[in-house]
Amino acid sequence: MKIAIHHSPGSFSDRWIAYCKQKKISYKIVNCYDNNIIKQLDDCGALLWHHHHGNYRDVLAAKPILFSLEQASSNVFPDFNTAWHFDDKVAQKYLLEAINAPLVPSYVFYDKEEALNWAKATSYPKVFKLKGGAGAANVKLVANEKEARKLIHKAFGRGFSQFDNLAYFKDKFKKWKEGVINLNTFLRASARSVIGTDYAKIAPREKGYVYFQEFIPNNDSDYRIIVIGEKAIAIKRMVRKNDFRASGSGTFYYEKKLFENDLIKTAFKVADNLKTQCCAFDFVYQDRKPLIVEISYGFASSGYDKCPGYWTKDLKFHKGEVIPYHWMVEDVISN
């Protein structure tokens, strides 16, 4: 089978291409933005596209193209079950509730008065999120009703930009001061905080809904479990200094002893119910019970190279080099 790969430097496609070359798998590079992309795939049995939530062309084109091909019985990665809810935390709420997965209690409102009444009656703190965004972008800890009401009024008023320039600058400044990033990275980020992103300039403002989650206290980290087919890998992500968010901290631990069997078992079970090719779960603990914060099919490639091995569904741990991007190719070819 020849596979088509939409190549975007820095994405999974770097690893896919290297693996195809290593294993002598027939492949070709395609540009999925081309008008005749469907025709270009005539001699291919599969398409792999690591589409990104921050690329507006990807947001516009990826799901329609991939799901159309899947409807026509072509193999694709990611497929519908894997990606329809990608970068949509509200969709994930409904999905995980529907299959009775252990989700952190979550609340969405499409009516301003209903949201305000909830804000008056609920306890605090709560976590506010927009539907989209990764790396803890568009996530805020809400301390009291006053802060919640302000966010609700904005959600049902002018809405929120896809890119919070000030929050982005503060985050990068803090990371620079703590030595997490170097000066050049901070200066580039500073320029971006002024200019903004192409996606934010094109995308509409987020408005007409408001979404909160329970804040689960006493977690100094979260646990990222990635299930790909019959295998799973894991990393422990420490929360940022003087913060509650783990995503984007850059501080990871990989030792097998850090991950309880029940955590791995839960990830496998939910992935089976979702029928996904690849699912990255973010877990926190409450009373020793793992709860899902959110899910995604995509993740930063470099963060998992140090994983010392992987689990199979029987919860056996297999030591050795882990390259999960290769599993994606293998699964597509074998189906």
Side-chain angles (χ1 to χ4, degrees), residues 11-274:
S11 74
F12 294 165
S13 62
D14 292 325
R15 312 292 185 98
W16 292 338
I17 293 167
Y19 185 64
C20 288
K21 290 178 178 178
Q22 176 189 342
K23 296 295 183 179
K24 295 181 169 48
I25 297 169
S26 179
Y27 78 97
K28 73 175 183 179
I29 305 299
V30 297
N31 181 358
C32 285
Y33 307 135
D34 287 346
N35 177 61
N36 67 341
I37 181 57
I38 301 299
K39 183 65 176 175
Q40 290 182 38
L41 301 174
D42 279 350
D43 61 339
C44 297
L47 170 65
L48 287 78
W49 184 356
H50 181 195
H51 55 87
H52 192 275
H53 66 278
N55 183 319
Y56 198 65
R57 292 195 296 176
D58 283 12
V59 173
L60 285 173
K63 291 178 183 180
I65 291 171
L66 289 164
F67 302 163
S68 296
L69 290 166
E70 186 180 359
Q71 186 73 18
S73 300
S74 293
N75 290 342
V76 299
F77 179 91
D79 64 11
F80 181 83
N81 285 338
T82 302
W84 75 264
H85 46 77
F86 172 56
D87 199 41
D88 189 336
K89 298 175 180 65
V90 173
Q92 294 167 22
K93 163 189 155 61
Y94 296 135
L95 176 61
L96 294 170
E97 288 177 346
I99 64 168
N100 200 31
L103 172 68
V104 171
S106 304
Y107 314 89
V108 62
F109 303 97
Y110 302 99
D111 179 84
K112 181 179 178 180
E113 290 306 315
E114 185 180 354
L116 290 171
N117 290 337
W118 173 85
K120 184 176 182 179
T122 195
S123 60
Y124 293 90
K126 288 288 190 290
V127 179
F128 165 84
K129 298 182 177 183
L130 296 181
K131 290 192 300 181
N138 304 327
V139 177
K140 304 178 188 297
L141 190 63
V142 182
N144 51 50
E145 181 189 353
K146 181 180 178 181
E147 292 182 8
R149 290 178 65 89
K150 183 177 179 180
L151 290 165
I152 291 166
H153 282 295
K154 187 172 181 179
F156 292 96
R158 65 189 297 264
F160 300 89
S161 170
Q162 297 283 351
F163 181 68
D164 188 331
N165 302 60
L166 181 59
Y168 180 80
F169 175 80
K170 288 181 177 179
D171 178 60
K172 297 304 180 184
F173 180 75
K174 183 178 179 181
K175 287 184 175 181
W176 172 57
K177 293 291 287 184
E178 294 172 355
V180 177
I181 61 175
N182 60 35
L183 179 59
N184 286 337
T185 301
F186 169 65
L187 292 175
R188 289 196 300 271
S190 299
R192 185 181 180 189
S193 69
V194 175
I195 298 170
T197 65
D198 292 338
Y199 179 76
K201 293 172 185 175
I202 297 172
R205 297 178 73 86
E206 291 283 326
K207 58 192 300 186
Y209 76 95
V210 67
Y211 177 69
F212 296 93
Q213 280 190 324
E214 289 290 342
F215 172 67
I216 309 300
N218 305 318
N219 283 280
D220 63 357
S221 61
D222 74 3
Y223 296 84
R224 165 65 65 84
I225 314 299
I226 301 174
V227 177
I228 302 173
E230 304 291 313
K231 299 170 183 163
I233 58 175
I235 65 172
K236 180 178 181 179
R237 308 186 302 182
M238 304 306 295
V239 300
R240 307 176 188 201
K241 187 176 180 180
N242 300 319
D243 203 332
F244 72 101
R245 299 169 297 175
S247 182
S249 72
T251 304
F252 306 147
Y253 295 97
Y254 302 89
E255 294 86 353
K256 174 187 176 292
K257 65 182 180 181
L258 299 173
F259 309 99
E260 298 180 0
N261 279 347
D262 187 51
L263 179 67
I264 306 301
K265 183 178 179 180
T266 299
F268 271 123
K269 180 180 178 180
V270 177
D272 277 349
N273 287 337
L274 295 176

